[in-house]
Amino acid sequence: MSSWRSWHRPLVLFAAAMAVMTVVSAIGLIADDRVLAGAPIWFKPFKFAVSFVVYALALAWMLTLVTRGRRIGWWAGTVVALSSLVEMAIITGQVIRGKRSHFNHATPFDESLFNAMAVTVVVLWTSTLVIAILLLRARIADRASAWAIRSGVLLALVGAGFGFLMTQPTREQRAAGNLDTADVIGAHSVGVPDGGPSMPLTGWSTTGGDLRIPHFIGMHALQLLPLLLLALVTLAPRLPRLRDPRVRLRLVLVASGAYAAVVALVTWQALRGQPLIHPDGATLGAAALIVVASTVGALGALRPAPARQRTDTSPESDAGSDADAGSGSESASVQKEFAS
């Protein structure tokens, strides 16, 4: 891959702006003691800013891998940056006003801001879908790299899609029967009100389900699966089995399947109103099945390749040398693809 200077410029600039916003929000957490919905008022822009930094940089890099429809990809990435910037501007503006940004229908102005955020989320999701389609059509030489990138972006789309579930009225809100006049419609939590006891750092509920968990885990497959492959390539010089590109491909496929299963599990857990840190027997059983299946899959992926027949004209030492050289060059090419 070429230098980071060739990464999608608007997304890189947006990531830089969000890095600044992370610092601003951190100062706000220290200097502003206001609390909103049970959390420090600057906690939401802080979390969003950090998430947007890694999300935007991952997309900015992935767009350099697009081989068909580069102009479409550039525009899609630009739309992602602009729609995300609008969303962050609304979140920050509402924090300054001391108001909720999400699910806020208290006044016509607050409702219009939340509706505008809903539009930006739809636009962001659609633009990311366009990028995913372009990556599915891209010619990426290393198959493990291709699957890590494509699986990551597809799972990110699934994770982002959970945001739509949060905007729907909860069971309790429907039961109240005042949706036309309610100040708040929608919630992060399932089975309990937003703003209750929560986990440190993440703010996820410890007394009920929380749809932010599958939302977060799914979206960040965009970074974690390519990083897994990068780790495999980095370890390849020390672990001979990882020098085989077929082994790396199988491990990426296993990891992608396991990641998808985890996203499904935490979604099921959240929708049942169950806290992440208090799983019941069914959740633990499903988690155990994922662990066992992933372990068996990983061991199978690491199985030795079938021995190749040796010809009388090729000395064993020469064959081994050629194989090591080939695997080394393939690892080097993948490292180059992920480097700089």
Side-chain angles (χ1 to χ4, degrees):
M1 191 184 73
S2 55
S3 167
W4 65 269
R5 293 181 179 84
S6 68
W7 291 16
H8 189 274
R9 186 64 58 85
L11 281 170
V12 172
L13 292 175
F14 171 67
M18 290 302 98
V20 174
M21 190 62 210
T22 300
V23 177
V24 172
S25 300
I27 294 173
L29 284 169
I30 297 171
D32 192 340
D33 60 359
R34 290 179 297 167
V35 174
L36 183 64
I41 199 166
W42 283 96
F43 190 38
K44 177 168 288 186
F46 177 81
K47 291 193 298 181
F48 269 72
V50 171
S51 182
F52 272 136
V53 167
V54 293
Y55 189 82
L57 288 179
L59 277 184
W61 163 64
M62 287 182 178
L63 281 168
T64 65
L65 305 176
V66 171
T67 55
R68 303 175 185 175
R70 285 180 176 272
R71 187 171 182 83
I72 296 174
W74 188 90
W75 279 109
T78 302
V79 170
V80 168
L82 291 176
S83 58
S84 302
L85 184 63
V86 171
E87 183 174 5
M88 275 302 298
I90 294 174
I91 290 172
T92 306
Q94 288 291 75
V95 165
I96 294 171
R97 294 179 65 229
K99 305 291 185 179
R100 293 177 65 125
S101 53
H102 289 73
F103 322 126
N104 192 347
H105 297 260
T107 68
F109 181 67
D110 290 323
E111 186 172 15
S112 65
L113 288 178
F114 178 58
N115 289 337
M117 289 179 60
V119 171
T120 64
V121 170
V122 172
V123 171
L124 189 156
W125 190 90
T126 304
S127 300
T128 305
L129 175 62
V130 171
I131 295 171
I133 293 171
L134 294 175
L135 287 169
L136 287 171
R137 299 178 67 237
R139 296 174 180 173
I140 302 174
D142 181 71
R143 293 180 64 199
S145 300
W147 274 99
I149 292 164
R150 292 164 180 168
S151 298
V153 73
L154 290 174
L155 284 169
L157 280 170
V158 173
F162 290 122
F164 299 110
L165 292 179
M166 302 180 203
T167 65
Q168 303 304 306
T170 65
R171 183 182 304 172
E172 294 76 15
Q173 290 167 354
R174 289 194 183 95
N178 61 341
L179 294 180
D180 292 337
T181 58
D183 290 346
V184 176
I185 300 176
H188 300 127
S189 303
V190 178
V192 295
D194 281 348
S198 61
M199 296 170 60
L201 297 180
T202 63
W204 297 336
S205 175
T206 57
T207 56
D210 200 315
L211 290 169
R212 289 174 294 183
I213 298 169
H215 180 65
F216 175 87
I217 294 175
M219 285 192 67
H220 290 291
L222 190 71
Q223 299 87 39
L224 294 178
L225 288 175
L227 284 174
L228 168 66
L229 177 61
L230 182 58
L232 295 177
V233 172
T234 302
L235 291 172
R238 299 180 181 178
L239 302 174
R241 292 298 304 125
L242 296 181
R243 297 174 193 169
D244 188 340
R246 294 167 298 180
V247 170
R248 294 196 298 269
L249 172 61
R250 292 196 293 261
L251 287 173
V252 166
L253 292 175
V254 170
S256 299
Y259 203 106
V262 169
V263 171
L265 175 61
V266 295
T267 304
W268 179 54
Q269 185 180 17
L271 290 174
R272 289 185 294 135
Q274 186 180 110
L276 178 69
I277 60 175
H278 298 300
D280 62 10
T283 301
L284 289 174
L289 286 176
I290 293 173
V291 171
V292 171
S294 301
T295 302
V296 172
L299 292 174
L302 289 168
R303 68 184 185 277
R308 296 180 179 178
Q309 289 185 338
R310 299 182 177 89
T311 62
D312 294 335
T313 57
S314 298
E316 183 175 343
S317 59
D318 290 345
S321 175
D322 291 344
D324 288 344
S327 61
S329 64
E330 293 208 35
S331 295
S333 68
V334 178
Q335 283 178 322
K336 184 178 180 181
E337 192 169 277
F338 279 88
S340 62

